[in-house]
C-alpha cells in the first residue's frame, strides 16, 4: 500500500513539483557594464514569479545589504530604503539564497523599493528556476503582488560582485530580456498547460484567474490571427503492475492509460482523479471541436464558464453541468462526446495520447512538469501568471514593429516615462519628449510632432528637421521680438541647426546678442560718419551735406550725385541725338549718291560723260 501510494504521490510531485525530468531553465542575459574587472555577459535564470520585462531591458546598480543578506526579513526593521534617488540608477538588490522562499526574498526586496532582485546561489551548480512555494501558504497572497523581476545568479559570480562592492566599486548591470523569447515572425504560437481541477489551492486558483483575466486579450489576438493558441492537459499513465489497483482505477480512465491526481489527495471522498481526467479531456475536446469549426477562441469561454458554473465545491463538477455550458456556447455537443469516446474501454484516446506525447520536451523546450505552464514560441514562460505580464511576453514574441495594437495599450505600459522622464530628452517648454512607453520598456527616441521629425540620440538632444521645423518651438532656436521687430535664428529650409540672423551673434539656441556695429567698427567706418547702434542693426549718418550709401559704407556729396546723374542723362540725350543725326547724314548721303548715279545714267544716254566707269553697273536699271 505504501509503495502504491508512493507512486501516486510521485505523480503528484511530477505534476506539481520537482520530480526529475528534463527541465529547461529559461535564462535572460545579464551584462555587467562596470567595473571593468567584471565587465561581460553572465547567465541568470528568470524566476517563476514577479514580472520579467519580456522584450525589454533594465539598467541598475547593485546593492548588497550589510545585514539581512538573505532578505528573509523585512527591510523596514533595518531601516534601509533602496528606492533610487531622482536621477539615480534603479537599485538591484543582491540577496543570498537560503533560509526562506525565493518569493519572500523578492517580496521583502520589492517593499524596500528595489527595482529587481538578484539571488546569489549558495552552492556551485547549474542554474535552477526559482519557483513559488508548493504548499498552501497562508501568506501566499503576496505572491500575486510581486511585480519586480527576479533572477538567480551563480555562486561564483555572486561572490565576485560582493568582492567588487566591498572594494568600493560601483557594480552596474543591464538585465536584458529581449532575446528571452524568439520573435521570428508576425504570429505568436503559445500553449497553456492547465487543468480543470479547481480545488488544488493557490496553483489552481491562479490558473483559473489567469484564464478569466486573459480571456479578452486572448480572444482578440486569436480572432485577428495574431496568435495560434493551443491548450494542453497533462496526464500520467499507470504502470502496468498497478493497472487493476483500486488507486489506478479511481485515478485513471481507459484502463490506466490516462491518470490525474486525486483533487483532495484522499481516495475515499469527493471527486477522484478520474473525474478530473474526464473534465480535462472534455476541455481538450471542446477546443478541438471549436477549432474545427473555425472558432478556437470559444475554449476561453468554455473554461471560464465551466469554472464559474460547475465548481467542485458545489458538487457540480459533472458531465451534465459541462454539457449545459457547451450547449449555451453553441459548440457541437455530439462531436465532443464522440471525441471523448468510451472512457471505460481498453482503447487509446487519440486526443489524450497526443497530449502525453506533447508533454515530452522538444528542442529548446523542456518537459512540461509544472502546472500551470505557459509556452510561448516554444519557450517556457517564466514569471507571474498575470494578464499584463503574459501579454508583455506574448507581445515580445512578435517580430519588432509587427506587434498588434493591443501590445501598445496602456495596460502593459511600464509608466517609466512618468519618473524623471525615463532619463530621455525633453523640451518642457512645448511638452515634447523622447520618452516612449512601450511593452518593451521605455525607449528614448526622438519624436515626430505635427509632421516634424526630430533627430538626435534621444537622450541628450533631439533637433527638429525639415521644412516645417520652425513651426514647433521655433525649431528649438532663439527668437525674440523687440520694438515691433522680430528676429529668429531658425531658417525654414531643409538645413538643421540654428544660426543667428545678420546683426546678431551667439549660439542661436539660447541666445543671439545684438552686435554693436559702432563699437566693433564693423560698419559705418567712414571718417565723416556718425554711428548709432540699434537692435539687430545700426543707423549711420554722414556729416553736413553728405549722404550715407549703406552698401558701400561711404558718404557722398548730395550735389555731386545730382550733377553726376544729370550729366549722365545729358550724355545719353546727346548720344541719342548724335546717333540720330549721324544716321540722317548717312541716309542723306546715300540718297544723294543714288540720285546722282541715276541722273548720270540717264544723262549718259544723251551725252558722253568723262567718267564711263560707273555706267555699266546701272545697266539693269536702265534696261527696265
Ligand atoms: C496584494 O494586492 C491586493 C490588491 O492590490 C491587496 O488587496 C492585498 O492586500 C495585497 N496583498 C499584500 C500582502 O500586500
Ligand atoms: C486548429 O485549427 C488550425 C486551422 O484549421 C490548425 O492549423 C491547427 O492545427 C488546429 N489546432 C489543433 C490543436 O487542432
Ligand atoms: C504634455 O502632454 C501630455 C500628453 O500629450 C499631457 O498628458 C500633459 O498634461 C502635458 N503636459 C503639459 C505640461 O502640458
Amino acid at each position: 500500500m505504501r509503495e502504491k501510494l508512493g507512486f501516486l504521490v510521485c505523480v503528484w510531485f511530477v505534476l506539481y513539483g520537482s520530480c526529475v525530468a528534463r527541465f529547461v531553465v529559461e535564462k535572460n542575459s545579464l551584462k555587467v557594464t562596470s567595473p571593468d574587472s567584471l565587465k561581460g555577459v553572465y547567465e541568470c535564470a528568470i524566476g517563476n514569479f514577479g514580472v520579467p520585462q519580456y522584450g525589454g531591458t533594465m539598467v541598475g546598480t547593485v546593492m548588497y545589504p550589510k545585514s539581512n543578506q538573505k532578505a528573509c526579513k523585512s527591510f523596514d526593521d533595518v531601516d534601509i530604503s533602496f528606492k533610487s534617488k531622482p536621477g539615480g540608477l534603479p537599485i538591484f538588490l543582491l540577496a543570498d539564497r537560503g533560509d526562506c522562499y525565493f518569493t519572500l526574498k523578492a517580496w521583502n526586496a520589492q517593499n524596500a523599493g528595489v527595482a529587481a532582485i538578484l539571488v546569489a546561489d549558495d552552492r556551485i551548480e547549474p542554474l535552477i528556476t526559482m519557483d513559488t512555494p508548493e504548499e498552501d501558504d497562508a501568506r501566499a497572497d503576496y505572491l500575486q503582488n510581486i511585480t519586480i523581476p527576479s533572477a538567480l545568479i551563480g555562486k561564483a559570480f555572486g561572490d565576485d560582485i560582493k568582492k567588487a562592492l566591498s572594494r568600493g566599486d560601483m557594480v552596474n548591470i543591464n538585465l536584458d530580456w529581449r532575446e528571452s523569447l524568439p520573435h521570428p515572425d508576425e504570429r505568436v504560437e503559445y500553449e497553456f498547460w492547465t487543468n480543470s481541477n479547481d480545488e488544488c489551492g493557490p496553483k489552481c486558483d491562479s490558473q483559473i484567474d489567469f484564464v478569466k483575466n486573459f480571456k479578452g486579450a486572448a480572444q482578440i489576438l486569436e480572432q485577428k490571427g495574431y496568435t495560434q493558441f493551443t491548450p494542453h492537459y497533462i496526464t500520467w499513465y499507470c504502470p502496468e503492475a498497478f493497472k487493476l489497483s483500486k488507486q489506478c482505477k479511481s485515478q485513471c480512465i481507459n484502463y490506466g492509460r490516462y491518470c490525474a491526481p486525486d483533487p483532495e489527495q484522499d481516495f475515499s471522498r469527493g471527486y477522484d482523479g478520474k473525474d478530473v481526467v474526464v473534465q480535462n479531456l472534455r476541455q481538450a475536446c471542446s477546443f478541438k471541436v471549436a477549432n474545427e469549426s473555425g472558432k478556437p477562441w470559444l475554449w476561453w469561454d468554455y473554461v471560464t464558464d465551466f469554472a464559474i458554473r460547475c465548481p467542485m465545491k458545489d458538487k457540480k463538477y459533472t458531465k451534465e453541468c459541462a454539457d449545459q455550458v457547451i450547449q449555451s456556447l453553441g459548440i457541437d455537443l455530439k462531436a465532443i462526446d464522440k471525441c471523448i469516446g468510451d472512457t471505460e474501454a481498453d482503447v487509446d484516446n487519440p486526443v489524450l495520447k497526443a497530449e502525453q506525447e506533447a508533454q515530452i520536451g522538444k528542442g529548446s523546450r523542456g518537459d512540461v512538469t509544472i502546472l500551470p505552464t505557459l509556452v510561448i514560441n516554444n519557450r517556457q514562460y517564466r514569471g507571474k501568471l498575470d494578464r499584463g505580464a503574459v501579454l508583455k511576453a506574448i507581445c515580445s514574441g512578435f517580430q519588432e514593429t509587427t506587434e498588434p495594437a493591443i501590445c501598445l495599450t496602456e495596460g502593459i505600459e511600464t509608466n517609466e516615462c512618468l519618473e524623471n522622464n525615463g532619463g530621455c530628452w525633453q523640451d518642457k517648454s512645448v511638452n515634447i519628449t523622447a520618452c516612449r512607453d512601450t511593452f518593451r520598456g521605455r525607449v528614448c527616441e526622438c519624436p515626430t510632432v505635427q509632421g516634424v521629425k526630430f533627430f538626435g540620440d534621444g537622450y541628450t538632444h533631439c533637433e527638429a528637421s525639415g521644412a516645417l521645423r520652425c513651426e514647433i518651438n521655433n525649431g528649438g532656436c532663439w527668437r525674440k521680438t523687440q520694438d515691433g521687430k522680430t528676429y529668429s535664428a531658425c531658417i525654414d529650409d531643409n538645413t538643421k541647426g540654428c544660426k543667428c540672423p545678420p546683426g546678431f551673434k551667439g549660439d542661436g539656441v539660447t541666445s543671439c546678442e545684438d552686435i554693436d556695429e559702432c563699437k566693433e567698427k564693423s560698419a559705418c567706418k567712414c571718417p565723416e560718419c556718425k554711428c548709432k547702434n540699434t537692435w539687430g542693426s545700426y543707423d549711420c549718418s554722414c556729416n553736413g551735406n553728405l549722404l550715407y550709401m549703406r552698401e558701400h559704407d561711404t558718404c557722398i556729396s548730395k550735389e555731386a550725385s545730382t550733377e553726376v546723374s544729370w550729366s549722365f542723362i545729358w550724355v545719353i540725350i546727346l548720344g541719342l541725338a548724335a546717333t540720330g543725326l549721324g544716321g540722317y547724314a548717312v541716309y542723306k548721303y546715300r540718297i544723294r549718291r543714288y540720285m546722282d548715279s541715276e541722273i548720270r545714267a540717264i544723262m549718259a544716254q544723251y551725252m558722253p560723260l568723262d567718267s564711263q566707269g560707273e555706267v555699266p553697273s546701272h545697266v539693269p536699271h536702265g534696261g527696265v
Side-chain angles (χ1 to χ4, degrees), residues 228-230 287-288 291-292 296:
Q228 187 175 47
F229 169 74
T230 317
F287 175 77
K288 185 169 175 277
N291 192 41
E292 280 161 6

Side-chain angles (χ1 to χ4, degrees), residues 418 428-433:
L418 295 182
K428 278 192 182 145
S429 61
V430 278
N431 199 12
I432 298 177
T433 172

Side-chain angles (χ1 to χ4, degrees), residues 107 141-142 145:
W107 180 237
D141 67 330
Y142 70 73
N145 296 25

Side-chain angles (χ1 to χ4, degrees), residues 123-152:
R123 63 203 84 160
I124 293 172
E125 61 174 359
L127 291 176
I128 58 159
T129 295
M130 298 185 288
D131 202 5
T132 51
E134 296 305 327
E135 70 258 44
D136 199 345
D137 189 337
R139 291 159 301 171
D141 67 330
Y142 70 73
L143 280 185
Q144 284 303 310
N145 296 25
I146 298 176
T147 54
I148 59 167
S150 60
L152 183 78

